[in-house]
Every structure is written in structure tokens, then in C-alpha cells.
Amino acid sequence: MADILLKVEDLQVAYGGIRAVKGISFEVREGELVSLIGANGAGKTTTLKALTGLQPMSAGSIALFGRTINGCGTWDLVRQGLVMVPEGRGTFTRMTIHENLQMGAFTRRDAAIAADIERVFALFPRLKERRDQLAGTMSGGEQQMLAMGRALMSRPKVLLLDEPSMGLAPLMVDKIFEVIADIHRQGTTVLLVEQNASRALALADRGYVMESGEISSSGDAQDLLADPRVRAAYLGE
Ligand SMILES: Nc1ncnc2c1ncn2[C@@H]1O[C@H](COP(=O)(O)OP(=O)(O)OP(=O)(O)O)[C@@H](O)[C@H]1O
Ligand SMILES: [Mg+2]
């Protein structure tokens, strides 16, 4: 079996008195695409924020390549290969597409940056056509593409995606899920957070279901898709 890249044990996160994440454990192995699904307010974004050093954890441990990363800062984690595309995308709206992609490579000093920009353009031809357009003037779907492209520029070992399909039109949702599959096929390990459970599980190797700050079920993505409880709660059946 492949090595464990990311291991989360008994993670707890609270906002003041509100316990948003109540002791969850999960892992992501090298080369896997793992989906974390769950309803509004289940604690998915909070989990990703704790993983990327944006929200302090109140208990538990997180390890990347077997080494604890508790308390590491966000930039340090990007350098170590843990990179998030946040909910709401967070592109630099006053910069062009090309400049946004260059910013994504800020942790790097190597000579392959231009080649990687071409790789991102190959994944997202739309971005290439618009390389000199200001990010803030792009559509929601284009901004999602840019946010994913920018994250890829740091050559992530694990790419964390928070609701990449949120608010997008159906055709754009198809496109985004296709590209996630491509990124995974090209060897990047992915942790995908989604409310679109059926699409997220269809792409995934394994999945975890989060409910009120806890993991209520987990397993092979196909098994979860077939599980009557998951179907009733998250697939509208
Ligand atoms: N900054 C904050 N301050 C206080 N409570 C918060 C804060 N952020 C989130 N919460 C609460 O923590 C819980 C989990 O929120 P979280 O954003 O992690 O859920 P989620 O699973 O990502 O939901 P969604 O699918 O709607 O994005 C919710 O009850 C939410 O109201
Ligand atoms: Mg969220």
C-alpha cells in the first residue's frame, strides 16, 4: 500500500465555546483522491483551516510525511507541499492571470516556473486565452480555474480543495471535476471537500462523511456511494 502523506489524529477545533470539529481522524495516502463530504456547518472548512495553519487546533495531531506539522504556519506548509484552494477562491483580483500564476510559485527558486505555467495553461486553455486579463473581471468558474492553477504552481504534494464546484453553472461544474480528475491522474494527491457528494465520491478512491464535527462513516468511495444511509442523507434519495 502507498505511504501515508497526511495523517490526522483526534483533531479538535473550537471557536470560543463552539466545538466545530470534535476529534476526527483520517488519512490520505500518496496518489489518492480522498473526498470529505458533509452538510452545511459539518466542519469541513474548519478541518482544512486547521490543516493549513489558518485556525489553531485545540487538540490532536497532524502529520505530513510522518512528521508532525502542529503549529506550522501557512507559508511554511506551502513550502512543505500542503496547499489549499480556499472556499471562495481568493485570487488576487487586481493582478492578471499570468501574475496570479507567478505568485503561486513564490516559494520556488527553480528554473521550471515558466514550464509549469504552460502546464497550467494546458490544463485550463481558457486561462491561456486570457493571460493578461485582471483576475477580478473573470467569471466565477474562471476564477476557480485560476485558483487551482495558482495552487498547482507551488507543486503541491497534497492539494486541498474546498468546495471547488460551489456556485458554478452545470457545464462549469463538469469542467472543474474533469480537471480535478486530470490533476489526480497526473500524480497529485488530492483531498476534496464538497457538498456535491455524488460527484465528489464518483471521482474519489475513498471518502469520509462528516456530520456535526464528527466523521460518521468512511470507506471506499464506491461503497459510500452505494450506502443507503449516505444516499438518503447526501444524495437526496
Ligand atoms: N469564524 C468562526 N467563528 C465562529 N464559528 C464558526 C466560524 N467558522 C465556522 N464556524 C462554525 O463552525 C461550524 C463548522 O463550520 P464550517 O465552515 O467548518 O462548516 P462546513 O462543513 O465547511 O460548511 P459549508 O458546507 O457550509 O461550507 C459551523 O457551526 C460554523 O457556524
Ligand atoms: Mg465550508
Side-chain angles (χ1 to χ4, degrees):
M1 214 185 253
D3 290 344
I4 296 177
L5 272 193
L6 182 65
K7 190 170 180 65
V8 175
E9 282 180 299
D10 196 31
L11 173 68
Q12 298 184 40
V13 186
Y15 299 105
I18 301 168
R19 294 174 65 222
V21 175
K22 302 171 187 167
I24 64 169
S25 300
F26 65 92
E27 65 199 31
V28 180
R29 291 177 178 271
E30 189 153 28
E32 272 191 320
L33 194 164
V34 172
S35 289
L36 179 62
I37 63 170
N40 284 120
K44 307 181 297 296
T45 296
T46 302
T47 300
L48 292 190
K49 283 184 174 166
L51 288 177
T52 51
L54 293 168
Q55 185 65 41
M57 41 202 276
S58 32
S61 70
I62 305 172
L64 188 65
F65 301 109
R67 282 189 316 172
T68 174
I69 56 167
N70 291 22
C72 283
T74 306
W75 301 135
D76 183 18
L77 292 168
V78 170
R79 239 170 251 120
Q80 294 186 50
L82 190 62
V83 181
M84 169 163 70
V85 178
E87 210 173 7
R89 286 109 207 193
T91 55
F92 300 108
T93 54
R94 288 159 184 273
M95 290 186 185
T96 66
I97 288 173
H98 193 251
E99 288 164 346
N100 266 274
L101 294 176
Q102 286 175 321
M103 290 296 286
F106 80 101
T107 55
R108 296 171 51 185
R109 296 274 179 276
D110 57 275
I113 293 173
D116 280 4
I117 289 183
E118 287 307 318
R119 202 184 132 226
V120 169
F121 283 158
L123 275 172
F124 299 106
R126 181 85 65 105
L127 296 183
K128 183 168 189 167
E129 288 162 20
R130 292 160 184 249
R131 51 180 289 153
D132 297 319
Q133 185 175 330
L134 291 182
T137 62
M138 296 197 303
S139 74
E142 289 163 355
Q143 295 207 23
Q144 182 63 45
M145 293 178 182
L146 178 57
M148 287 166 62
R150 192 182 62 190
L152 289 174
M153 287 303 298
S154 61
R155 295 206 172 170
K157 300 289 193 300
V158 191
L159 182 63
L160 312 175
L161 300 171
D162 195 358
E163 310 253 14
S165 79
M166 189 170 59
L168 303 184
L171 274 179
M172 191 55 86
V173 171
D174 290 347
K175 175 70 193 165
I176 291 295
F177 278 111
E178 259 171 47
V179 176
I180 294 169
D182 283 346
I183 290 169
H184 176 230
R185 220 175 288 123
Q186 290 176 13
T188 304
T189 304
V190 180
L191 177 61
L192 171 63
V193 164
E194 263 293 337
Q195 276 192 53
N196 191 335
S198 56
R199 298 294 294 265
L201 288 174
L203 279 192
D205 299 303
R206 290 187 305 110
Y208 293 89
V209 181
M210 228 178 146
E211 226 170 284
S212 308
E214 293 173 301
I215 287 174
S216 56
S217 36
S218 65
D220 198 79
Q222 296 311 312
D223 294 342
L224 286 176
L225 262 178
D227 183 330
R229 283 172 312 161
V230 172
R231 298 194 74 84
Y234 302 102
L235 305 176
E237 288 184 8

